Amino acid sequence: MIFNNRHRKIPVPFVKKLLLIVAIAFTSACSNDNPVSQAKPSAKQLPNIVILYADDLGAGDLGSFNQSSKIPTPNLDKLAMQGLSFTDAHSSSGVCSPSRYALLTGQYHWRKFHDIVKTFGESVFDPEQLTLPEMLQQKGYTTAAIGKWHLGWDWSSIRKQDAPLSAVAPNDFDWHKAIENGPTAHGFDYYFGDNVINFPPYVWIKNNRVTQIPDTMVDGTLWKNKEGKMRYREGPMITGWDPYENIPTTTQKGIDFITEKAKHQQPFFLYFAYPSPHAPIIPNDEFDNTSLAGPYGDLIVETDDSIGQLLSAIDKAGITDNTLIIFSSDNGPENYAYLRDQKFDHWSSYPFRGLKRDTYEGGHRVPMIVRWPNHVQANSKTDELVSQIDLMATIAAIIDFSLPGDAAEDSFNLLRLWTGQSAKSPRHALVHNTTKGKFAIRSNDWTFIDAPSGNQNGNLARFNYENWQKKHGYQTDDNEKGQLFDMQNDSGQRFNLIEKHPEKARQLRQLLEQIKTQDGSAPHLNK
């Protein structure tokens, strides 16, 4: 029995019932007033996190970002309907390895390197550097990377002592040994993939060991080429290797991982990196002619289909409401896009100028979607400036992890923007870079390219560039003083205003140099 302040006895069952009614009423009131929860999840409610990372996919390739796209992407369009789409999201670089490094560390790639990791290249990570998966491991997550890695390994750990460093034949390596300093050395409990689809060794790698012994050299003529160049780098391969099996095999591995980990209380992190639509353009035959943009479009359809299978596995496992999904691409589309636009009337970077490698928007402005039921508003969009670099600080806020001063040095916490607590991004400036010595900076509504041109794809005449310019309303605007664009009124970067606003260009160059000389630009470094 319980006594009230007048000492009258109240039956315990009645009290429990009353408390239940109050709790339900309170919950209902909160739900009606605030449909998107802002509360941080408790330790037992930490969300599963899945990053779906495409390769060389442009903003104009998705139907939800471009209504004129010639490529059907129903699963990604559905994801956009269920989450928040970012129309001003950027990769750190206009090429692969640097963008992946920045996403997984929260640091501008150019503070350390600029180029992609070469064939049999070393790891880009410092041993003491905190990575996104390592941070999640400290909060109890089990972590996995499936698919493309392209961030280096210590291949010398399996190279035979008498083999020259330039040797790449099968017998130059001891394939029975563990390959050190790969994904499992930097925060991933599990890895399955082929490192890079067009780089040796051409064999599946599980954790840090090959699953079969390479016994021959790659021969790209073994497989049908559907668009562009195959671009297979010379090196060891297993007999019977088939790059067409890449997406189906990794997709099934992703489904298996999700299905198994959903059975346990421990939250999981899955970094699923696609090889597509990067070359080789090899959609499986069942996807031929499923788009109106040629084999490139068909490969995106296959990628979208894979994403649909992974999302379906999450649904079937009953973990949708407690799983954060992040989709994006490592950089803009390859320069084949000029000819594709001419042939199929599909501009993969729409509505932007430039492609992969470029410091123009099309090189690094990429589609990005975040879905997190009950936290991120469904079917919403934001035009605020964000970067993939910001994922680490944002996820740190979600899991209540205090970032040290020597980690995620350029990462901004976007959680309030994601959840609708704020309509503004805390990020007001972002440095763009692909090639050493060629930088650009975005600051609020202005972009300054500190080079005569933002083109980094060489001579564009081979792509009938003049015809592309006429079609899209551009003219050559190279200027030794640089290039300046008003992004509020000219996001397509058609009008170089460097001569009209030299003082604005000077201010932006000064800000660029300031950020470049700092150890980091993230707000948490000043705490």
Side-chain angles (χ1 to χ4, degrees):
M1 306 294 284
I2 296 177
F3 294 85
N4 66 3
N5 60 349
R6 293 186 180 181
H7 304 287
R8 197 172 80 186
K9 294 179 180 180
I10 304 176
V12 171
F14 177 83
V15 173
K16 289 183 177 181
K17 184 175 180 181
L18 180 61
L19 291 174
L20 178 61
I21 292 172
V22 172
I24 292 173
F26 179 79
T27 302
S28 176
C30 291
S31 299
N32 290 334
D33 292 341
N34 188 13
V36 178
S37 172
Q38 313 292 350
K40 290 183 179 179
S42 67
K44 291 183 179 180
Q45 296 174 326
L46 288 175
N48 305 305
I49 301 171
V50 176
I51 293 179
L52 303 170
Y53 208 38
D55 194 343
D56 291 6
L57 183 83
D61 289 326
L62 301 188
S64 58
F65 283 75
N66 174 17
Q67 293 183 351
S68 300
S69 173
K70 299 296 180 65
I71 305 169
T73 52
N75 294 296
L76 284 169
D77 294 348
K78 181 179 178 181
L79 187 69
M81 289 287 290
Q82 296 170 335
L84 172 63
S85 297
F86 298 81
T87 62
D88 201 354
H90 299 257
S91 57
S92 180
S93 171
V95 291
C96 173
S97 303
S99 292
R100 296 164 194 272
Y101 168 85
L103 184 153
L104 292 173
T105 63
Q107 182 188 58
Y108 281 122
H109 69 277
W110 48 261
R111 296 197 187 277
K112 186 174 184 184
F113 69 107
H114 298 267
D115 206 352
I116 65 170
V117 174
K118 304 300 185 183
T119 302
F120 292 113
E122 298 179 352
S123 173
V124 297
F125 298 105
D126 293 328
E128 69 281 1
Q129 187 171 25
L130 181 69
T131 65
L132 174 59
E134 286 173 338
M135 177 183 77
L136 289 164
Q137 282 180 329
Q138 292 186 34
K139 297 296 287 189
Y141 278 73
T142 182
T143 59
I146 296 177
K148 184 170 181 174
W149 179 239
H150 208 179
L151 290 166
W153 308 65
D154 180 9
W155 295 103
S156 66
S157 61
I158 68 167
R159 188 184 293 275
K160 293 179 180 177
Q161 291 185 352
D162 59 347
L165 291 178
S166 59
V168 294
N171 291 334
D172 293 321
F173 300 87
D174 184 349
W175 300 106
H176 295 93
K177 290 184 176 181
I179 312 167
E180 298 178 0
N181 211 19
T184 57
H186 297 286
F188 289 106
D189 299 312
Y190 171 78
Y191 171 74
F192 184 89
D194 60 346
N195 185 33
V196 185
I197 191 172
N198 58 332
F199 278 28
Y202 298 94
V203 59
W204 293 116
I205 301 174
K206 182 179 179 181
N207 296 327
N208 56 5
R209 295 178 184 272
V210 296
T211 58
Q212 291 178 253
I213 304 299
D215 58 350
T216 187
M217 293 291 283
V218 68
D219 180 3
T221 64
L222 294 173
W223 311 297
K224 181 167 60 174
N225 184 22
K226 295 191 175 182
E227 180 179 307
K229 297 179 181 179
M230 296 292 273
R231 294 188 173 184
Y232 292 103
R233 271 55 165 196
E234 184 181 19
M237 180 184 79
I238 60 169
T239 298
W241 179 253
D242 184 358
Y244 277 85
E245 295 178 356
N246 187 295
I247 294 179
T249 300
T250 54
T251 300
Q252 188 58 54
K253 291 292 183 180
I255 292 171
D256 294 344
F257 177 83
I258 291 167
T259 303
E260 174 59 31
K261 297 307 173 184
K263 299 175 183 177
H264 307 284
Q265 291 294 319
Q266 184 181 18
F268 68 79
F269 168 53
L270 173 58
Y271 169 70
F272 194 102
Y274 284 91
S276 51
H278 186 287
I281 308 300
I282 50 171
N284 278 285
D285 292 350
E286 64 185 282
F287 293 97
D288 287 350
N289 302 312
T290 52
S291 78
L292 297 176
Y296 170 87
D298 300 341
L299 185 55
I300 292 177
V301 174
E302 181 171 4
T303 305
D304 181 79
D305 178 78
S306 166
I307 288 172
Q309 292 182 56
L310 295 175
L311 296 177
S312 178
I314 290 171
D315 292 340
K316 291 177 181 177
I319 57 173
T320 301
D321 285 349
N322 195 39
T323 300
L324 166 63
I325 306 289
I326 302 166
F327 169 81
S328 197
S329 175
D330 64 344
N331 46 249
E334 183 56 271
N335 51 36
Y336 306 141
Y338 285 119
L339 299 179
R340 187 179 310 117
D341 182 52
Q342 179 179 329
K343 185 175 182 179
F344 298 104
D345 193 26
H346 174 85
W347 179 234
S348 288
S349 284
Y350 178 87
F352 308 116
R353 177 185 190 179
L355 296 169
K356 177 179 179 177
R357 302 177 190 85
D358 292 344
T359 41
Y360 291 128
E361 291 292 280
H364 46 80
R365 191 158 171 172
V366 291
M368 181 171 164
I369 303 169
V370 169
R371 186 188 80 179
W372 189 17
N374 303 314
H375 295 274
V376 171
Q377 186 68 50
N379 197 24
S380 57
K381 288 187 178 182
T382 177
D383 298 328
E384 290 294 294
L385 177 66
V386 301
S387 172
Q388 294 170 2
I389 304 172
D390 301 327
L391 291 180
M392 189 158 174
T394 306
I395 292 173
I398 290 172
I399 65 174
D400 198 21
F401 182 91
S402 180
L403 286 167
D406 60 349
E409 293 94 331
D410 299 294
S411 189
F412 283 64
N413 175 11
L414 305 178
L415 185 57
R416 288 175 56 82
L417 177 65
W418 284 18
T419 59
Q421 287 181 293
S422 174
K424 297 294 183 181
S425 170
R427 176 178 286 285
H428 302 294
L430 182 64
V431 175
H432 307 309
N433 164 268
T434 298
T435 306
K436 185 177 181 180
K438 295 184 178 180
F439 287 83
I441 185 168
R442 169 76 173 276
S443 178
N444 295 314
D445 293 334
W446 292 88
T447 290
F448 170 66
I449 298 176
D450 195 12
S453 170
N455 168 46
Q456 296 190 38
N457 276 288
N459 184 357
L460 299 179
R462 67 192 191 279
F463 300 119
N464 297 321
Y465 185 61
E466 287 189 6
N467 291 337
W468 182 89
Q469 284 183 302
K470 291 177 182 178
K471 176 180 178 180
H472 294 277
Y474 287 90
Q475 58 185 0
T476 301
D477 56 1
D478 295 6
N479 191 309
E480 290 299 320
K481 298 177 184 178
Q483 294 192 317
L484 180 69
F485 299 101
D486 175 0
M487 301 303 292
Q488 178 67 28
N489 299 300
D490 180 28
S491 62
Q493 297 178 309
R494 286 177 172 82
F495 307 104
N496 183 5
L497 303 179
I498 191 77
E499 298 292 352
K500 291 185 177 180
H501 300 285
E503 179 60 23
K504 174 60 70 173
R506 187 194 67 79
Q507 293 171 359
L508 292 179
R509 180 181 282 114
Q510 184 178 28
L511 177 60
L512 172 61
E513 292 304 315
Q514 176 186 329
I515 295 175
K516 285 167 62 178
T517 55
Q518 292 173 336
D519 292 332
S521 57
H524 70 267
L525 300 184
N526 300 320
K527 292 182 179 179

